[in-house]
Amino acid sequence: MNDIQSTSSDSQATSSGSGSGTTGTDLRADARPAPTSAIFTEAIALTPTEPEHFDLAFTATTQPCPWPKAYGGDMVAQATAAAMRSVEGKTLHSMHSYFLRPVDIGAEVRYEVELLRDGRGYATRQVRGFQNGKPVYTCLANFAAGEPGATYAAEPPVGVPDPTELPSSAAYLSDTTAPRGTMTDTSEEYWSGGRSFDMRHVPGPVYLTVEGERVPQQAVWVKPFDTLRPVDGLTDEQRDLAALAYVCDYTILEPVLRVLDLPWALPGLITASLDHAMWFHRPAPMDGWLLYAQEAVAADAGRGLAVGRFFTPTGTHLATVVQEGLIRSS
């Protein structure tokens, strides 16, 4: 998903994987460089700078993408990294975000961190992103030292095919004969291999058409294209939490689109992330496949709400996501 911007379906379709279904994409695919996760790790590489408003400040640059404004997951992941770099001895357990304004692609965002509280068990931070002199993103992040306690975890959905049995985005977009809609060659290339993560849908993608039943649930297997690189200022565990915060935004509204029969490539479709909440329950190693189980909760008045849960292949519940977004179709 994009941030607060209301993108047209041409741009949103490009952003959301609405790739080309034409034949002949095999030649384009052969000419593409191998997909890499470096786009993500470069996006969360922060540069410390002098604060202007709060206690600490960092800058980061949004990643390239084929629609008018930056991907909202950039802001969530960059703010996650900024907040984590301000806390020692505690682990991020929740974030609550609002997307305030569109953010320019390939441009610097300044993240200011306010140290709201540092207690023995918990710490709280506010992070605000600025671009062009205006706030574009804000979040509250909470950290916990951890303590012994009872354990419960949600169960993953049953009967989900193994990711190796499912087509990658690149394979689906190369093989399908579905009408392209607002998809372009550039956006197909991005959704095939430009998002740092391999994503495989159950019951099927919603790029060009809604593949599979129009039900309010879907699952997406996600895995970095290659081994995640170290990120200065973050431990590997912190980098992996930022990776979850980054990748979750791409598909979280898709179960709403699925039940409404609105593929990303539909002409006239406008979407935008409005607010986002995430809870991190357990460490989330990003060194293999994770199952992202998603469900539509509500859709009305031009908005849709969805919930998602990340699971390991063995069924361990790692994190929970809730997001509301603008969904407008003409």
Side-chain angles (χ1 to χ4, degrees):
M1 275 293 296
N2 300 339
D3 63 2
I4 190 93
Q5 78 227 32
S6 299
T7 56
S8 69
S9 63
D10 334 37
S11 58
Q12 183 59 53
T14 50
S15 77
S16 301
S18 37
S20 167
T22 61
T23 59
T25 51
D26 290 340
L27 293 177
R28 290 200 302 273
D30 291 341
R32 294 171 185 159
T36 173
S37 63
I39 294 171
F40 157 69
T41 48
E42 290 169 3
I44 62 166
L46 307 182
T47 301
T49 189
E50 288 297 316
E52 296 178 0
H53 304 281
F54 298 134
D55 300 296
L56 299 170
F58 304 89
T59 59
T61 302
T62 54
Q63 65 161 319
C65 57
W67 60 88
K69 293 297 178 180
Y71 167 53
D74 271 1
M75 276 66 76
V76 179
Q78 290 167 353
T80 299
M84 289 190 294
R85 289 181 62 164
S86 74
V87 176
E88 294 184 1
K90 298 180 179 66
T91 301
L92 178 67
H93 74 85
S94 68
M95 285 185 68
H96 300 266
S97 305
Y98 280 90
F99 302 88
L100 306 179
R101 290 180 173 87
V103 174
D104 295 334
I105 296 170
E108 190 174 89
V109 180
R110 178 188 189 88
Y111 294 94
E112 298 258 355
V113 183
E114 184 178 12
L115 312 184
L116 292 179
R117 178 177 182 267
D118 280 296
R120 286 192 302 173
Y122 292 87
T124 306
R125 301 291 186 260
Q126 178 184 194
V127 183
R128 191 172 297 179
F130 295 88
Q131 192 178 76
N132 303 319
K134 296 180 179 180
V136 295
Y137 168 91
T138 187
C139 80
L140 288 173
N142 217 48
F143 296 77
E147 59 188 86
T151 296
Y152 171 78
E155 295 289 333
V158 298
V160 178
D162 188 88
T164 60
E165 301 173 8
L166 301 169
S168 66
S169 297
Y172 170 80
L173 294 172
S174 294
D175 294 342
T176 183
T177 58
R180 291 173 65 97
T182 58
M183 172 58 62
T184 66
D185 290 347
T186 299
S187 57
E188 178 188 342
E189 183 174 352
Y190 177 78
W191 287 106
S192 294
R195 297 180 290 176
S196 290
F197 290 83
D198 191 345
M199 302 183 199
R200 306 190 180 194
H201 286 71
V202 181
V206 295
Y207 297 151
L208 304 173
T209 62
V210 175
E211 297 282 341
E213 295 182 83
R214 277 58 169 170
V215 293
Q217 299 90 19
Q218 72 169 19
V220 183
W221 286 102
V222 299
K223 182 183 74 169
F225 281 124
D226 53 14
T227 301
L228 293 181
R229 292 144 182 82
V231 177
D232 287 346
L234 299 179
T235 65
D236 288 352
E237 183 175 316
Q238 290 174 326
R239 176 206 59 201
D240 290 353
L241 288 180
L244 277 188
Y246 170 88
V247 74
C248 74
D249 196 29
Y250 275 116
T251 60
I252 185 58
L253 289 183
E254 287 186 350
V256 183
L257 298 182
R258 180 178 297 280
V259 75
L260 297 178
D261 196 17
L262 299 174
W264 288 116
L266 180 70
L269 177 66
I270 300 173
T271 67
S273 304
L274 297 176
D275 61 270
H276 178 282
M278 192 164 190
W279 293 264
F280 303 90
H281 311 303
R282 296 168 180 86
M286 295 293 289
D287 54 1
W289 290 106
L290 296 179
L291 181 64
Y292 191 15
Q294 304 165 341
E295 182 178 3
V297 176
D300 198 17
R303 300 186 310 276
L305 183 74
V307 61
R309 296 179 177 89
F310 283 97
F311 297 92
T312 67
T314 57
T316 301
H317 182 199
L318 301 177
T320 301
V321 183
V322 178
Q323 180 165 295
E324 186 176 46
L326 170 73
I327 298 178
R328 184 182 298 154
S329 61
S330 58

